[in-house]
Amino acid sequence: MLSDEQEKILSYNGEVLLFQLSKAKCAAEKTTRLHVKRMAYDNGSNLFLQKSSGLFSMHGGNLNIEMVCCNCTADFRTGINLPCILMREKKNSVYKYFLLLLHSSNKFEQCLNFKLEYELKNDTRLLNGPTVLWRHAKKLFYISTKTCTVLSASVQLSSIEWAGEIENEGNVVLGIRPACLSEEEDGQTLSRSDGAVWHSEFVVYAVENRKILTGICFLPHAYSSVISCVHVCRTGISKSQFRTSVVAITRKRQLIWFQDGLPKGVCQLQDGEPCSVQVAATSRNDLLFVVSFASRDVCVVRKDNFQVASRLQKVKSVLVDDFIGTGTEQILLLFKDVSSTDSLSTFRITDFGEVSYASDISCKKDFPHVEELQENGFLTIRALEARLQAGCTSVRELQQHLQLKKKVLFESCSALIDLVQGTEHILPTAEEKGLVSLWDDAENLLHPLDKKTTLTSGGPEHVIEKLWQRVVDDSLVVGVKITESVNLSLNDVCLSLVMDQHFTSVSPIIQCQSKIAKLNKTFSAMSISSCQMEPQPKRIKLDFCSMNDLKKDYHGRPYKTSADVAKTFIAVTPLSPLLAFRDIRCMILLHAKRKKYQNGNLQESKTLTLLCGKISLNLEDISSGKYSVNLLRNNSHYTDTMEDIFAILAVALKFSFHIVSSDYTLTPVKMWLLSQMECMPIKECPENMFCHKLGSLHGTVFNWNLKTPFEGILTLFCSVVFQCLHSLIGILPPTCKVKALRSESKDILTDQLALALEKEMVTFRSSFSSAVSEVENNLIPSSEADKTMSRVTVSSLSDRKEAVRQFREELKNEQKQSALSMNRTVSGALYRQMALKIAGAQLCSDTIAWRLNIS
Amino acid sequence: TAGLPAALPSLSLELTVLYNALLFAVSESDGLVEGEAERISHGLIRVLEACGVSGQDLSTEELWQKVLQDVTAEEMRAPLHRLGALQGAVWLAANCLGSVTALFRLLSGTKVMLGALYRLLALLKAWSVPAEGDASPLVVQSTKDLKEILWTSAAFLQGLQGLEAGNLSAALSLLQEAAAGFCSKRVLAQIYTCIGCCTQQMGKPQMALQHLKRALQVDFQCLSALSQAAAVYRQLGETDAELDALALLYKALETPAQEAVSIDPCFLIRTELLVHTPALASLFSRSHPSEVKYSLAQRCLQAGRVGQAVEHYLDLLALLQEGPQHQVPLHGRSALPRTPEVFLEAASALEQHGRHQDAIAVCEEIIGRTGDLIPETLRIEWSCGAGGEVTGILPQERESLRCVVWRAAAYLHQGRAWTGLGDSKEAITHFTRCLNVLLRVQLVSTGTVQPARPPTTLPAWEGPPWGWLVLLQGSEPGKHRQGNGWQCLGD
């Protein structure tokens, strides 16, 4: 009775739906019946058992009804995923199509009727909606329950590779179209050259939104000419970009895994013609790619290693779903079985890992009971909740604590700022802030400064060699060069600028910053041939400064003497406040302490103030560029280059970096300075290099001091340090360590520390000796008295009784003395003095030790 | 990119991928294998293919010429130059300096009219690395780094070749260029050591010492600098310093080497990988502690410091008896002579130091070991060639002859020691034994030889065994002359 049977298989919620179309040729009526059987896997019997079945009869008409394709799609009215099947009826030359939805009650619902004049071929897809989508004559058509009419899309496709739903865009189609060079408006088409290379491109078309999306984030266009099957595993949007995972098979039988449009793994497949690829997420968090071949072979590839996990033959169909109800997917392989008409008779459920069931053999696995699992889950959640709450509380406590600390810090900062600025700081009341002060709120009176300085106006010309001024950016730089003989005996030098005119509203003293500038003048570049000379036999010291040092050394000239160091004192002050006065005359005062040596020891020095001279400043001169730095403009020679350099160095921020390379030589630094930074050595002091690179780095002065081939100090005088550093880090060998140095170099600090420690020791010694001497002074009178007494007694030793008494007396005295010596005291004044001195010395050495530590 | 046809727009990426992959391959193989050249050629053929030019059947040099002349696309410049740098490295490692020079002449596009020695360096300097665009693919080692490393390697390699060829002043200046280049500590130490060798050969020992000292400052693991320094001190006649250096070398060799820490591959292509010549390998081969100990002992003995020499010899004998790890493989370069000779030297030192009993004991060791190795009579047929050289002695015979001489020398020593102890009876016994051993040898001449004139040179016969006999006859210790040995035997 039954003949010409057609069958389709679909998996749905772990069940297997078996659609069978039977055409009854019973005499009277022509009825085509569509049967559906819901089959579910039964663990006990290891069989697929029928749960329920349904029937749909199509009366009348002819028998030319066929099933075209079936799929599970979401019904947009309810949002429920339902199986649906597309049917075709041929009447004359017109094809009539209708879609059947299968409800859970096994009732069929007929929707979406449409007629076409052509037959739908392979590129037909059922999508959510339900929507039927197909391609005909390079055009994309679709119909959905929303539109109810056939619409054509505005995109040309030569093939549909994949169709499905993605986030925010709804149903989309991934297809291939010929590369269109003219289309530029969306900016997502591939670039002109790529199109010229491959002649085709991927296009992603969002059906509902009717727009073209960028295809490059799914697959590189280069593959558009070689791809044969595509499956989009996952899409998402992060930072307004698609995140995609795509598996594709090329014509060369390569399975390629793409992530965000980049190939991540390749597996070469066996011979044959692959026709579809499916993806299964199995229990071990692994993805399996199931490739079906036209030759009824199936090949399973593991994603984690891109190795073929299994090859199977004579497979009728492959379904991926959770058939045994474990929460992960398995692969159901249905084999061709000639002996049985039942299509589910020979099967295998497997995930190529823990699960494997076959129709002939059964290897069960014990799964924990559902109740037990639920209870476990409940307990875990409770415990996690408790931990979360505890965590929350501690975070809140920490936040409160942090806030309190911030408050204290803020208060201290404002107090410090007030102190620096000289204004009185008003402490908020302790209650108001909820704080208790640790110190007494005693008044802190500022002592008026002692006016002990003496103004030695006599003979500044003997001391001052040159006075100059420069304007750099927004700063006025005033420099004083002093004669070298005086230079050595001065200490703690600073400059101050005092305005001549007395404006009532402003203070006559201009706030400025004093600096000392040093440059090593003698550093002549010598040819490398100098080191070809044979040195004298006994030369033990060998240093790495450069080849040049060698020559210097055996010419008997010291490397660096104080005479070579030009010392200039510099004051820097912001220019703009001064410009308000239009025309100013300033006195430059130099304050210093003159060192005095007495018997070779450094004594407390005398403060002295020198009038160095006067400078005048007016707007015309500044705007005409009289004081500007010529070095910045071009590198032709000027006479006052040293002053220019001093001015730049004084204004620019100074950064020192100690660069140590553990393994590679530091030659790239020099290369970097000369090429990337476009530096030129300054003629007067070739150690320093001037950056001529245009941009924000222009005018930066570099000082590169290579101590050994693996260690050096780079000093920058610049306004933007980070650009420099970024570029520097790029060229340094990766094992290099760059450390920022504080202003002083380590050597100087080490010397200072040694001096401070020595001073501390001397202070200790002197204060202890003074204390000891005071104590001894207290003791001597009484002991002397004792001695005289004892002498008297010894001389007149006549009576024994008297002698005993005297000895007793003596003993008592001695006891008293020893008690005294056990408990010696010094006067409070001396003690205070000592403590102050020692504390001062210790503070000094501690400070230097700390600075040395952080440098 | 598998299976895709070569296309100009994708080639830049493809070449970069090839470059990166080759860098890893070269770095992994730790030297350079043949496969790399093949892959570069394949890449070049693909470039030509994309341009529609056939590149089959061309050598790599011709391919480069064709590619650099025909491919003018601006976007191909950077990847091609990058690959060119790698090709330069591969050729440099294979010591193909001519190919490298030709390649960089093409790359730099300049014609440098310098002497052959400095041409490559000048070309390298003139070669401007094309700037990498922002969009260009990332590389694991930038072309600039590679250029620096190539420069250092080229200078070093050419310097080494100059040193080998005896072109000392050129070698010196090339090595000094190399020392100013970008390299690792190990390589810098090697360069300094080579400069030291060079200046020593130029007759500037102080200069050599300075550079050797620098080498040690840079990398103390560079122990050949220490042995070189010892050689320089020896040349200068500063025995104290020489012995100090040798003692230090021995101490350094005794402590286990820290090989593991030194290698930090922060660059895939390093100078170490590019410069390997046999001369460098032999210069920087790690000498064996026992070899150093031997030269210490020998130098002490030669300098007349018998006490110290005895100590060192005894240490050395203890080392040799400790086990096979202290025995040096017998290859031609080894400074250590055959073990019996070491024993004989030790016995001689003991003897000179007046420790007669010990000398006897040491000699007894040799006598005990050689007893089974000597046949009752050793008949040696030999002939004298036209130039007076000895021919026709088989290797086994030669070995037996050596044993005879060692044994005889041991008896002779014992005899002298007994004489030293004042026991003339024992002394005579041992001298007799010595003669008995020597008389086991029967020399039969087969060729046209005049017996009156024994051959003056015996190049095929190693000297020391014969020399022992001379040594014992009171001549200077440690100096071996072959002719006298022959006479001694003939007497």
Side-chain angles (χ1 to χ4, degrees):
Chain A
M1 195 182 86
L2 286 171
S3 72
D4 200 11
E5 202 166 282
Q6 208 190 345
E7 193 176 75
K8 292 236 177 244
I9 297 178
L10 184 67
S11 70
Y12 174 69
N13 280 352
E15 293 172 351
V16 179
L17 298 182
L18 219 60
F19 294 100
Q20 280 168 335
L21 195 67
S22 62
K23 293 156 189 177
K25 281 182 186 166
C26 292
E29 47 176 347
K30 287 178 178 174
T31 310
T32 309
R33 288 198 173 102
L34 179 67
H35 297 269
V36 62
K37 286 185 199 164
R38 282 182 195 265
M39 313 286 280
Y41 177 72
D42 182 57
N43 214 356
S45 60
N46 189 27
L47 283 174
F48 274 93
L49 299 180
Q50 182 175 335
K51 282 175 77 187
S52 57
S53 65
L55 181 68
F56 183 74
S57 301
M58 286 156 278
H59 297 284
N62 55 24
L63 292 174
N64 288 334
I65 295 179
E66 289 171 282
M67 293 187 280
V68 180
C69 58
C70 56
N71 198 3
C72 291
T73 63
D75 187 353
F76 82 97
R77 295 167 299 185
T78 55
I80 298 172
N81 227 12
L82 289 178
C84 61
I85 181 159
L86 182 67
M87 310 294 289
R88 173 169 61 201
E89 187 178 351
K90 190 182 177 187
K91 273 183 184 168
N92 302 327
S93 64
V94 176
Y95 294 90
K96 190 183 156 195
Y97 291 90
F98 59 93
L99 194 70
L100 293 176
L101 279 178
L102 177 64
H103 289 280
S104 53
S105 56
N106 287 335
K107 291 268 166 55
F108 283 97
E109 183 194 347
Q110 188 174 351
C111 59
L112 279 182
N113 291 299
F114 57 97
K115 283 180 188 169
L116 294 174
E117 290 187 346
Y118 50 85
E119 194 181 346
L120 293 184
K121 292 275 169 55
N122 288 336
D123 279 354
T124 310
R125 309 286 163 128
L126 298 181
L127 302 174
N128 289 346
T131 303
V132 184
L133 186 137
W134 68 93
R135 182 181 66 87
H136 181 73
K138 299 218 166 181
K139 280 198 159 180
L140 188 67
F141 297 94
Y142 63 94
I143 179 168
S144 77
T145 45
K146 276 186 201 166
T147 60
C148 288
T149 49
V150 176
L151 298 172
S152 96
S154 61
V155 62
Q156 285 212 328
L157 290 179
S158 51
S159 71
I160 295 177
E161 294 300 337
W162 179 78
E165 185 170 303
I166 66 171
E167 202 182 330
N168 288 0
E169 297 292 346
N171 287 328
V172 298
V173 179
L174 173 68
I176 297 172
R177 67 170 173 188
C180 38
L181 301 181
S182 59
E183 201 165 350
E184 295 283 328
E185 77 278 352
D186 53 0
Q188 291 157 350
T189 50
L190 73 172
S191 67
R192 211 175 272 271
S193 56
D194 280 8
V197 175
W198 293 292
H199 311 297
S200 58
E201 62 178 352
F202 285 109
V203 61
V204 179
Y205 181 74
V207 178
E208 277 90 6
N209 299 342
R210 297 181 144 267
K211 68 172 183 185
I212 295 171
L213 306 175
T214 164
I216 191 81
C217 59
F218 288 85
L219 288 163
H221 289 305
Y223 286 89
S224 59
S225 55
V226 293
I227 219 81
S228 67
C229 305
V230 176
H231 182 88
V232 177
C233 301
R234 191 169 54 82
T235 58
I237 294 174
S238 129
K239 293 173 189 164
S240 72
Q241 277 209 321
F242 278 114
R243 299 274 149 203
T244 59
S245 312
V246 177
V247 59
I249 301 176
T250 66
R251 301 240 162 82
K252 294 197 168 179
R253 296 184 309 282
Q254 286 173 321
L255 179 95
I256 310 180
W257 171 252
F258 293 94
Q259 233 158 1
D260 301 327
L262 300 173
K264 295 287 178 186
V266 180
C267 173
Q268 185 72 44
L269 299 174
Q270 69 202 48
D271 286 348
E273 191 191 327
C275 57
S276 79
V277 58
Q278 284 174 284
V279 176
T282 60
S283 53
R284 290 190 306 173
N285 250 343
D286 187 17
L287 287 184
L288 293 178
F289 304 122
V290 188
V291 183
S292 312
F293 289 86
S295 57
R296 296 251 172 239
D297 287 359
V298 166
C299 180
V300 182
V301 178
R302 254 183 227 293
K303 193 217 145 188
D304 57 356
N305 55 5
F306 281 97
Q307 301 284 319
V308 175
S310 179
R311 279 200 190 110
L312 300 140
Q313 290 179 329
K314 290 181 188 166
V315 178
K316 199 166 69 175
S317 58
V318 182
L319 296 174
V320 174
D321 206 336
D322 183 12
F323 297 102
I324 57 168
T326 52
T328 55
E329 288 180 327
Q330 303 94 39
I331 299 164
L332 172 63
L333 299 152
L334 298 175
F335 295 97
K336 219 167 195 174
D337 192 353
V338 282
S339 63
S340 168
T341 50
D342 187 2
S343 29
L344 284 172
S345 58
T346 317
F347 67 88
R348 188 174 163 200
I349 300 175
T350 180
D351 66 352
F352 297 99
E354 294 162 358
V355 182
S356 180
Y357 298 93
S359 50
D360 42 355
I361 42 153
S362 69
C363 33
K364 282 190 211 163
K365 264 209 122 182
D366 285 334
F367 291 99
H369 292 288
V370 180
E371 298 82 26
E372 205 177 308
L373 272 175
Q374 272 182 343
E375 201 181 309
N376 276 343
F378 179 66
L379 287 173
T380 316
I381 287 169
R382 272 230 303 245
L384 286 174
E385 266 177 1
R387 270 179 64 181
L388 200 65
Q389 268 172 354
C392 262
T393 326
S394 69
V395 165
R396 217 169 290 138
E397 274 172 13
L398 279 174
Q399 276 173 343
Q400 276 177 359
H401 193 71
L402 209 63
Q403 216 136 28
L404 204 64
K405 277 189 171 169
K406 265 187 194 163
K407 231 186 249 176
V408 173
L409 273 179
F410 175 76
E411 205 51 60
S412 316
C413 279
S414 62
L416 191 65
I417 290 165
D418 285 346
L419 190 67
V420 170
Q421 289 179 344
T423 55
E424 197 181 337
H425 180 68
I426 301 149
L427 273 175
T429 54
E431 294 80 23
E432 188 191 326
K433 286 276 164 186
L435 298 172
V436 179
S437 65
L438 290 171
W439 63 92
D440 294 330
D441 295 346
E443 273 181 274
N444 201 356
L445 282 176
L446 278 172
H447 295 286
L449 289 164
D450 292 333
K451 296 276 181 192
K452 274 192 257 174
T453 56
T454 52
L455 195 71
T456 49
S457 55
E461 62 275 8
H462 299 307
V463 180
I464 311 301
E465 212 174 281
K466 194 171 181 185
L467 175 69
W468 49 267
Q469 53 180 320
R470 287 285 183 283
V471 172
V472 186
D473 295 336
D474 188 29
S475 307
L476 171 70
V477 183
V478 178
V480 176
K481 192 179 176 192
I482 57 176
T483 47
E484 272 147 14
S485 56
V486 181
N487 182 0
L488 292 174
S489 63
L490 290 183
N491 213 1
D492 291 347
V493 183
C494 69
L495 293 179
S496 62
L497 278 65
V498 184
M499 274 198 274
D500 261 6
Q501 298 96 331
H502 286 275
F503 297 95
T504 47
S505 57
V506 289
S507 145
I509 296 170
I510 302 166
Q511 198 180 349
C512 67
Q513 195 188 359
S514 289
K515 290 182 178 179
I516 303 170
K518 287 180 203 167
L519 278 180
N520 296 334
K521 269 198 275 189
T522 49
F523 191 89
S524 51
M526 288 181 204
S527 62
I528 206 147
S529 64
S530 64
C531 62
Q532 302 228 351
M533 274 183 239
E534 172 78 357
Q536 295 300 304
K538 279 290 167 191
R539 243 182 46 77
I540 292 155
K541 191 180 173 293
L542 190 107
D543 48 5
F544 265 112
C545 285
S546 67
M547 291 292 183
N548 308 332
D549 293 349
L550 280 178
K551 182 162 184 184
K552 264 185 203 158
D553 272 359
Y554 55 73
H555 278 304
R557 219 166 69 190
Y559 172 55
K560 200 194 280 180
T561 61
S562 54
D564 287 338
V565 182
K567 217 177 208 177
T568 303
F569 301 101
I570 290 168
V572 183
T573 181
L575 185 66
S576 37
L578 300 179
L579 291 178
F581 303 116
R582 199 182 124 69
D583 196 5
I584 331 167
R585 295 172 69 77
C586 279
M587 282 195 296
I588 311 295
L589 295 179
L590 186 139
H591 312 268
K593 278 181 184 167
R594 192 188 278 271
K595 289 178 217 162
K596 270 190 178 172
Y597 291 91
Q598 220 166 44
N599 329 323
N601 287 331
L602 185 66
Q603 294 295 305
E604 274 306 308
S605 47
K606 198 178 88 181
T607 315
L608 87 162
T609 303
L610 272 175
L611 177 64
C612 304
K614 288 183 179 179
I615 58 160
S616 67
L617 200 67
N618 60 48
L619 269 175
E620 284 78 29
D621 284 352
I622 293 170
S623 55
S624 68
K626 188 176 169 188
Y627 304 124
S628 58
V629 174
N630 294 314
L631 209 59
L632 283 177
R633 281 205 227 115
N634 47 38
N635 52 346
S636 54
H637 188 71
Y638 283 90
T639 46
D640 295 337
T641 326
M642 282 312 275
E643 281 78 34
D644 284 354
I645 295 163
F646 279 134
I648 294 171
L649 298 192
V651 170
L653 298 172
K654 180 185 172 187
F655 301 95
S656 285
F657 298 98
H658 186 227
I659 302 173
V660 187
S661 170
S662 60
D663 200 24
Y664 281 85
T665 50
L666 285 174
T667 43
V669 177
K670 183 110 190 208
M671 218 76 79
W672 171 74
L673 285 173
L674 292 176
S675 62
Q676 258 175 289
M677 291 287 118
E678 298 171 27
C679 281
M680 292 266 287
I682 297 168
K683 211 173 281 173
E684 282 74 10
C685 39
E687 253 186 344
N688 295 291
M689 300 215 200
F690 190 83
C691 176
H692 291 283
K693 192 182 183 174
L694 293 180
S696 55
L697 289 176
H698 185 249
T700 304
V701 174
F702 292 91
N703 184 333
W704 173 231
N705 183 6
L706 194 65
K707 285 180 171 172
T708 74
F710 304 97
E711 188 184 356
I713 291 175
L714 181 72
T715 312
L716 312 171
F717 296 90
C718 65
S719 45
V720 271
V721 72
F722 286 105
Q723 284 184 18
C724 273
L725 278 187
H726 184 75
S727 146
L728 175 67
I729 294 291
I731 57 101
L732 283 179
T735 49
C736 263
K737 281 183 188 147
V738 180
K739 196 172 165 194
L741 287 178
R742 308 288 154 154
S743 51
E744 292 96 340
S745 76
K746 226 164 194 168
D747 299 342
I748 297 173
L749 277 177
T750 316
D751 289 348
Q752 281 184 352
L753 182 64
L755 276 176
L757 287 176
E758 191 186 332
K759 197 178 164 192
E760 191 182 318
M761 214 167 65
V762 169
T763 318
F764 262 111
R765 201 183 58 193
S766 68
S767 41
F768 284 139
S769 63
S770 66
V772 168
S773 68
E774 191 190 278
V775 171
E776 276 175 355
N777 281 344
N778 289 345
L779 284 177
I780 285 164
S782 56
S783 60
E784 271 179 355
D786 286 344
K787 275 177 194 161
T788 51
M789 195 171 76
S790 60
R791 256 184 248 125
V792 169
T793 48
V794 170
S795 61
S796 63
L797 194 120
S798 54
D799 195 356
R800 281 174 182 253
K801 249 185 187 174
E802 181 64 12
V804 171
R805 191 192 62 81
Q806 285 209 347
F807 277 124
R808 202 170 278 163
E809 200 97 324
E810 208 172 321
L811 188 68
K812 241 182 210 171
N813 260 325
E814 267 176 16
Q815 273 175 344
K816 210 166 117 190
Q817 282 289 332
S818 66
L820 257 176
S821 65
M822 289 294 284
N823 193 15
R824 290 177 183 187
T825 53
V826 293
S827 68
L830 181 68
Y831 178 76
R832 267 200 300 279
Q833 206 182 336
M834 268 166 57
L836 190 68
K837 263 190 192 167
I838 291 169
Q842 279 178 336
L843 184 69
C844 182
S845 49
D846 283 355
T847 316
I848 297 168
W850 172 76
R851 265 157 57 193
L852 193 62
N853 190 32
I854 60 166
S855 70
Chain B
T1 58
L4 288 177
L8 208 52
S10 65
L11 263 177
S12 161
L13 180 68
E14 204 177 313
L15 289 187
T16 312
V17 171
L18 177 66
Y19 170 81
N20 282 344
L22 284 177
L23 278 184
F24 280 111
V26 167
S27 171
E28 276 300 301
S29 64
D30 217 40
L32 297 137
V33 290
E34 279 302 306
E36 267 73 71
E38 290 292 312
R39 288 169 72 182
I40 294 177
S41 313
H42 182 69
L44 293 178
I45 289 172
R46 262 180 88 84
V47 174
L48 288 174
E49 190 188 312
C51 295
V53 184
S54 168
Q56 298 297 335
D57 307 329
L58 289 178
S59 70
T60 314
E61 284 86 349
E62 288 164 337
L63 272 176
W64 271 110
Q65 194 162 6
K66 208 167 177 60
V67 165
L68 290 172
Q69 279 168 0
D70 291 5
V71 181
T72 49
E74 188 53 35
E75 70 266 22
M76 292 303 296
R77 221 174 102 75
L80 275 178
H81 276 236
R82 201 182 292 137
L83 204 61
L86 188 62
Q87 176 74 73
V90 170
W91 274 335
L92 210 56
N95 288 352
C96 306
L97 282 171
S99 301
V100 181
T101 313
L103 176 65
F104 280 100
R105 182 171 296 133
L106 287 171
L107 285 174
S108 64
T110 52
K111 287 186 171 60
V112 180
M113 290 299 163
L114 268 175
L117 267 177
Y118 300 99
R119 197 181 296 144
L120 178 56
L121 291 185
L123 283 171
L124 270 171
K125 201 159 232 173
W127 172 46
S128 64
V129 180
E132 306 276 343
D134 292 334
S136 53
L138 293 175
V139 292
V140 284
Q141 190 174 5
S142 75
T143 324
K144 269 183 194 160
D145 285 347
L146 209 52
K147 180 185 166 184
E148 296 303 319
I149 286 163
L150 279 177
W151 196 83
T152 312
S153 309
F156 189 16
L157 199 62
Q158 285 181 300
L160 277 175
Q161 289 182 348
L163 192 60
E164 261 177 276
N167 190 357
L168 293 177
S169 64
L172 178 62
S173 72
L174 280 165
L175 286 171
Q176 276 170 343
E177 292 272 323
F182 179 63
C183 56
S184 67
K185 269 189 180 165
R186 216 176 102 200
V187 172
L188 188 64
Q190 291 184 348
I191 294 173
Y192 278 141
T193 311
C194 290
I195 295 180
C197 288
C198 191
T199 43
Q200 189 201 354
Q201 290 177 28
M202 288 168 88
K204 295 175 180 174
Q206 293 303 329
M207 190 95 160
L209 283 179
Q210 258 183 17
H211 282 104
L212 293 172
K213 213 176 273 180
R214 267 189 203 180
L216 285 173
Q217 276 175 343
V218 169
D219 179 14
F220 191 72
Q221 292 297 317
C222 184
L223 293 176
S224 35
L226 210 51
S227 53
Q228 282 293 324
V232 176
Y233 281 128
R234 184 174 180 176
Q235 190 190 349
L236 287 174
E238 290 185 32
T239 316
D240 280 330
E242 184 200 346
L243 292 178
D244 279 351
L246 282 175
L248 202 59
L249 178 62
Y250 178 72
K251 209 168 181 182
L253 282 172
E254 256 196 331
T255 50
Q258 300 156 335
E259 294 281 353
V261 246
S262 63
I263 293 162
D264 180 16
C266 57
F267 292 105
L268 290 173
I269 298 279
R270 305 180 292 274
T271 312
E272 291 92 318
L273 295 181
L274 302 189
V275 182
H276 34 71
T277 63
L280 191 71
S282 70
L283 187 58
F284 290 99
S285 63
R286 204 178 165 83
S287 48
H288 204 275
S290 42
E291 286 176 306
V292 178
K293 198 75 190 173
Y294 173 71
S295 32
L296 251 179
Q298 202 186 30
R299 289 296 299 145
C300 281
L301 193 62
Q302 285 170 352
R305 303 175 189 206
V306 183
Q308 283 179 33
V310 163
E311 290 307 312
H312 289 308
Y313 273 120
L314 290 181
D315 285 351
L316 180 60
L317 295 193
L319 262 184
L320 289 177
Q321 278 174 338
E322 231 171 62
Q325 73 268 21
H326 290 287
Q327 283 167 8
V328 186
L330 273 176
H331 51 78
R333 296 193 306 277
S334 174
L336 199 64
R338 300 284 296 270
T339 312
E341 291 168 25
V342 177
F343 272 70
L344 283 172
E345 279 188 43
S348 168
L350 285 166
E351 173 76 46
Q352 286 182 40
H353 199 231
R355 292 167 69 173
H356 303 293
Q357 288 291 359
D358 291 336
I360 291 168
V362 168
C363 289
E364 202 54 52
E365 187 84 11
I366 301 169
I367 293 162
R369 298 280 172 103
T370 50
D372 302 336
L373 300 173
I374 300 173
E376 271 307 307
T377 50
L378 183 64
R379 189 183 156 83
I380 293 174
E381 295 182 0
W382 63 285
S383 60
C384 213
E389 73 271 19
V390 175
T391 53
I393 300 179
L394 300 173
Q396 313 93 283
E397 288 174 347
R398 193 169 293 173
E399 186 62 26
S400 300
L401 205 54
R402 277 196 203 108
C403 287
V404 167
V405 175
W406 288 331
R407 194 176 165 90
Y411 277 130
L412 199 57
H413 265 305
Q414 283 188 331
R416 284 173 62 90
W418 284 116
T419 316
L421 285 170
D423 193 338
S424 50
K425 193 182 166 200
E426 278 288 337
I428 290 167
T429 311
H430 284 96
F431 284 134
T432 319
R433 281 179 187 167
C434 169
L435 284 175
N436 281 341
V437 172
L438 285 176
L439 287 174
R440 288 193 200 179
V441 183
Q442 295 178 2
L443 289 174
V444 181
S445 75
T446 54
T448 56
V449 65
Q450 296 89 5
R453 193 174 65 91
T456 46
T457 51
L458 282 172
W461 294 35
E462 285 83 356
W466 304 105
W468 281 108
L469 300 177
V470 187
L471 193 146
L472 293 169
Q473 285 181 342
S475 63
E476 294 164 277
K479 282 204 176 170
H480 316 125
R481 264 168 296 161
Q482 291 164 332
N484 286 351
W486 184 252
Q487 280 170 353
C488 166
L489 197 67
D491 285 346

